[in-house]
Amino acid sequence: MIGSVRRLAAVIGLLAVSAVADAQPLPSWNDGPAKQAIVDFVAKVTTEDSPDFLAPQDRIAVFDNDGTLWPENPLPFQLMFALDELRRLAPDHPQWKQNPVIQAALDGDVAVLKKDLKKSLSEILKETHAGTTVDEFDQRVRDWLSTARHPRFDRPYNGLTYLPMQEVLAYLREHGFRTYIVSGGGKDFMRVWAEDTYGIPPEQVIGSMGPLQFEIRDGVPVLARQAGIDFIDDKEGKPVAIHRSIGRRPVAAFGNSDGDLAMLQWTTMTRSPSFGLIVHHTDPEREYAYDRDPASSGKLVTALEQSEQQGWVVVDMKRDWKTVFETTAASDG
Amino acid sequence: MIGSVRRLAAVIGLLAVSAVADAQPLPSWNDGPAKQAIVDFVAKVTTEDSPDFLAPQDRIAVFDNDGTLWPENPLPFQLMFALDELRRLAPDHPQWKQNPVIQAALDGDVAVLKKDLKKSLSEILKETHAGTTVDEFDQRVRDWLSTARHPRFDRPYNGLTYLPMQEVLAYLREHGFRTYIVSGGGKDFMRVWAEDTYGIPPEQVIGSMGPLQFEIRDGVPVLARQAGIDFIDDKEGKPVAIHRSIGRRPVAAFGNSDGDLAMLQWTTMTRSPSFGLIVHHTDPEREYAYDRDPASSGKLVTALEQSEQQGWVVVDMKRDWKTVFETTAASDG
Ligand SMILES: [Ca+2]
Ligand SMILES: [Ca+2]
């Protein structure tokens, strides 16, 4: 009786949602093969008498973040945050003048940082945030997000998510999917705003991680950030992180670079039904255009080459997206 | 409108569940301060006009496994599994005669293994399972669980969960809590049976982890287990793993040893409302009796000393539990 009340309640909820959502799915997508592929996939795995029907617990979709849900230019936004933090804290750290990476960052010498973006980010985060507690770090991200603006688009960074991808996130959730972020970016950085910005709760945000130490400071238990990197959630690390965090294989994966190749393979190869999608940046007017030789992160060669054989959908941003960004800028929470 | 239908549906479900469940909460617990403390805590955090009311997303409860949800004698059950695997695979590995830990395990020389249980387990798992895929490992655990029986109680191992703790898990979930396992045991070992045995899905099972490698073998993507340990989810590691996996602080923690001290502190210190509970093994007739000097794992000294000052509930198994094990043995899935 308890079970049946619950099931009935769930059915009422799902019916109401589906009826509204399916009238006009994905309105910011132009009609075409990419949009159709998304709609077809969702239909076949959620139709009860379909051979491809998936039980709700198996409806798991994973999304890369930088370049897939929001831009990664002129630099990945977490690196923009770290650079702003560096400038904010520099007056108290005269010793930074002896550190070539930090000094390059302060001088705006982006070429030096780009030689190894991940190493630069790690070095800058170490200098700015090692020793802070996770709560303090969280507050710093919040403070930054409420004041910083993107240099080209002049909006808060979390006002620059891709509207078509926001629609995909919502569309999947309306059809019983759980949506996860699986990003090379820092897990703790993304969790601060992912729930407000994407509707993705902290336990569904997977990312790179630095070491943490449990301490009791003046009677208060804290987790203190330590220097270094424990886990890089990129390339072959993505399937590992997915397995560890979720414990089930996803059936849908969305990415934009070779950093997502292993995640796309893990999600789709020798699996049916499954779905893979690559966002190809082809729109320098409204956003950016890059693949083989990106100005920032996001190199895309092998995944694009494999896309046809693997049946992955390649989104041509310029052609497939009616709108790129939401018209009103988001503010932080 | 969608939101309100969903909320209504959720309310219908919760009301129905509460009405049934609260008639006779925790029937396998004797009346007394431990049972009362659990019921009082749940009541105050789920009563809407209470100053201690918690929103559903904050109702997170974490449970140690060995010695808290099932026994850890004569050895932690994962080590029993590993020893059985060793015996099963020994005929194909004559070189094991040169490995002192493996040879001790094969000879049943438990004293040698107990010098460092975690190191022994790691060594045995490396020899038996390194190179296997996560799916193959999963199947081996399943096969073992369907045939192995506990030497004292002569039941399948997953038929030996503590009925009073199963009732706590269900009671919390009926009141909107999410229940997590946070165990020193292997995450992949526990996930195989945790959903059937405890109703806890894989993404809510947190544990120790070995390195994994993504590979494509003959066109099939796999995650292959590597030798070694990446993360030990014990002591100060527990709050770290909780933060990484959940991203929110729990409000209730259940453990049985000093390995749970940091998790209890992280959950309850300087936090209100919060709840901590220690299972004290005091019942050699029905289960086991140990704290300071356990025959297996489960040393309990500091957490017991701090319990009064911290307000943690100490369960006296002999006095507080009407029944220890379910009367019918569980079978595996
Ligand atoms: Ca990307
Ligand atoms: Ca324990």
Side-chain angles (χ1 to χ4, degrees):
Chain A
M1 141 56 185
I2 296 166
S4 63
V5 170
R6 274 190 165 157
R7 273 193 297 276
L8 177 64
V11 167
I12 292 171
L14 285 176
L15 288 177
V17 169
S18 301
V20 173
D22 286 351
Q24 279 294 357
L26 309 178
S28 297
W29 291 70
N30 288 316
D31 290 332
K35 175 178 178 172
Q36 197 58 49
I38 299 168
V39 172
D40 289 349
F41 174 73
V42 170
K44 77 177 176 184
V45 301
T46 57
T47 302
E48 286 235 22
D49 52 1
S50 157
D52 292 317
F53 179 75
L54 289 172
Q57 70 266 24
D58 293 319
R59 296 182 200 167
I60 293 170
V62 289
F63 290 80
D64 171 59
N65 185 45
D66 295 321
T68 299
L69 298 178
W70 75 3
E72 56 193 323
N73 278 290
L75 288 170
F77 293 177
Q78 188 179 0
L79 189 48
M80 301 296 278
F81 159 70
L83 292 174
D84 284 343
E85 284 291 282
L86 210 53
R87 283 186 280 267
R88 184 176 71 82
L89 296 164
D92 299 330
H93 297 81
Q95 77 280 15
W96 283 351
K97 294 199 198 308
Q98 270 76 58
N99 182 325
V101 168
I102 301 297
Q103 198 51 48
L106 284 168
D107 293 344
D109 186 352
V110 171
V112 170
L113 305 180
K114 279 183 179 169
K115 281 183 195 156
D116 188 338
L117 276 178
K118 286 193 187 68
K119 192 158 165 286
S120 301
L121 179 60
S122 167
E123 179 73 13
I124 294 168
L125 286 174
K126 182 183 88 176
E127 289 297 326
T128 48
H129 300 294
T132 60
T133 70
V134 294
D135 288 344
E136 289 161 357
F137 181 78
D138 185 286
Q139 189 57 49
R140 289 184 181 190
V141 176
R142 252 175 237 289
D143 290 345
W144 173 77
L145 208 56
S146 68
T147 55
R149 297 180 80 83
H150 189 277
R152 173 174 165 192
F153 298 107
D154 193 27
R155 292 192 189 194
Y157 287 93
N158 62 343
L160 285 169
T161 61
Y162 304 135
L163 184 57
M165 295 304 290
Q166 289 274 19
E167 291 172 0
V168 171
L169 287 169
Y171 184 62
L172 288 172
R173 289 193 295 254
E174 285 158 5
H175 287 82
F177 279 78
R178 271 175 296 161
T179 53
Y180 284 80
I181 290 176
V182 180
S183 166
K187 182 183 273 196
D188 282 345
F189 174 75
M190 295 184 288
R191 279 174 165 175
V192 176
W193 44 266
E195 187 150 28
D196 280 347
T197 302
Y198 298 129
I200 297 180
E203 67 271 21
Q204 288 168 218
V205 176
I206 300 169
S208 297
M209 301 182 291
L212 294 172
Q213 186 171 299
F214 177 77
E215 298 169 12
I216 297 181
R217 293 184 178 172
D218 300 328
V220 179
V222 300
L223 289 171
R225 297 170 63 91
Q226 310 294 297
I229 288 187
D230 259 7
F231 184 81
I232 296 181
D233 185 33
D234 197 26
K235 301 190 174 77
E236 284 76 16
K238 290 199 176 194
V240 173
I242 287 169
H243 174 73
R244 286 177 167 178
S245 298
I246 312 176
R248 304 187 209 260
R249 253 168 106 174
V251 293
F254 300 78
N256 81 305
S257 81
D258 288 350
D260 303 310
L261 176 60
M263 175 168 85
L264 286 159
Q265 292 171 325
W266 177 239
T267 302
T268 67
M269 283 178 75
T270 68
R271 296 196 88 207
S272 178
S274 64
F275 185 85
L277 183 148
I278 296 169
V279 175
H280 191 190
H281 293 259
T282 55
D283 195 335
E285 279 75 37
R286 297 187 299 172
E287 204 249 5
Y288 299 92
Y290 58 95
D291 45 38
R292 183 170 297 273
D293 189 22
S296 167
S297 58
K299 182 173 174 176
L300 173 65
V301 179
T302 313
L304 202 54
E305 284 167 3
Q306 292 195 9
S307 61
E308 189 170 334
Q309 192 199 337
Q310 300 290 357
W312 299 330
V313 174
V314 178
V315 171
D316 180 329
M317 186 183 277
K318 186 170 184 172
R319 182 194 65 195
D320 288 321
W321 287 2
K322 199 176 291 176
T323 312
V324 174
F325 300 117
E326 295 181 88
T327 46
T328 53
S331 63
D332 68 309
Chain B
M1 139 58 185
I2 296 166
S4 61
V5 169
R6 273 190 165 160
R7 273 193 297 277
L8 177 65
V11 167
I12 292 171
L14 285 176
L15 288 177
V17 169
S18 301
V20 174
D22 287 352
Q24 279 294 356
L26 309 178
S28 297
W29 290 71
N30 288 315
D31 289 332
K35 174 178 178 173
Q36 197 59 49
I38 299 168
V39 173
D40 289 348
F41 174 74
V42 170
K44 78 177 176 185
V45 302
T46 57
T47 302
E48 287 235 24
D49 52 1
S50 157
D52 293 317
F53 179 75
L54 289 172
Q57 70 266 26
D58 293 319
R59 297 182 200 166
I60 292 169
V62 288
F63 290 80
D64 170 61
N65 185 45
D66 295 321
T68 298
L69 297 178
W70 74 3
E72 57 192 322
N73 278 289
L75 288 170
F77 293 176
Q78 188 180 1
L79 190 48
M80 301 296 279
F81 159 69
L83 292 175
D84 284 343
E85 284 291 280
L86 210 55
R87 282 186 281 266
R88 182 175 73 80
L89 297 164
D92 299 330
H93 296 81
Q95 77 280 15
W96 283 353
K97 293 198 198 314
Q98 271 75 58
N99 183 324
V101 168
I102 302 297
Q103 198 50 49
L106 285 169
D107 293 344
D109 186 352
V110 172
V112 171
L113 306 181
K114 280 184 179 168
K115 279 183 196 156
D116 188 338
L117 275 179
K118 285 193 187 68
K119 194 160 164 285
S120 302
L121 180 59
S122 167
E123 179 74 13
I124 295 168
L125 286 175
K126 183 183 87 176
E127 289 296 327
T128 49
H129 300 295
T132 60
T133 70
V134 294
D135 287 344
E136 289 162 355
F137 181 78
D138 185 287
Q139 189 58 50
R140 288 184 182 189
V141 176
R142 252 176 238 289
D143 290 345
W144 174 76
L145 208 56
S146 68
T147 53
R149 297 180 79 83
H150 189 278
R152 173 175 164 192
F153 298 107
D154 192 27
R155 292 193 189 193
Y157 286 93
N158 62 343
L160 286 168
T161 60
Y162 303 135
L163 183 58
M165 296 305 290
Q166 289 273 21
E167 290 172 2
V168 171
L169 286 168
Y171 183 62
L172 289 171
R173 290 195 294 255
E174 285 158 5
H175 288 82
F177 278 78
R178 271 177 295 160
T179 52
Y180 285 79
I181 290 175
V182 180
S183 166
K187 183 184 272 197
D188 282 345
F189 174 76
M190 296 184 288
R191 280 172 163 176
V192 176
W193 44 266
E195 187 150 28
D196 281 346
T197 303
Y198 298 130
I200 298 180
E203 67 271 21
Q204 289 169 216
V205 176
I206 300 169
S208 297
M209 301 182 291
L212 293 172
Q213 186 171 299
F214 178 77
E215 299 169 13
I216 297 181
R217 293 183 178 174
D218 299 327
V220 179
V222 300
L223 290 171
R225 297 170 62 92
Q226 310 294 297
I229 287 186
D230 261 5
F231 184 81
I232 296 181
D233 185 33
D234 196 29
K235 301 191 174 76
E236 283 76 17
K238 289 199 174 193
V240 172
I242 288 169
H243 174 74
R244 288 177 165 177
S245 299
I246 313 177
R248 304 186 209 262
R249 252 169 105 172
V251 292
F254 300 77
N256 81 303
S257 81
D258 288 348
D260 304 309
L261 176 61
M263 175 169 85
L264 286 159
Q265 290 170 327
W266 177 240
T267 303
T268 66
M269 282 178 76
T270 65
R271 295 196 89 207
S272 179
S274 65
F275 185 84
L277 182 147
I278 295 169
V279 174
H280 191 190
H281 292 260
T282 55
D283 195 335
E285 278 76 38
R286 296 186 300 173
E287 204 250 6
Y288 299 92
Y290 57 96
D291 45 38
R292 180 171 297 273
D293 188 22
S296 167
S297 59
K299 184 175 174 175
L300 173 65
V301 179
T302 313
L304 201 55
E305 285 167 2
Q306 292 194 10
S307 62
E308 188 169 333
Q309 193 201 336
Q310 300 289 357
W312 299 331
V313 173
V314 177
V315 171
D316 179 329
M317 186 183 276
K318 185 170 183 171
R319 183 195 64 195
D320 289 321
W321 287 1
K322 200 177 290 176
T323 311
V324 174
F325 301 116
E326 295 182 88
T327 46
T328 52
S331 63
D332 67 309

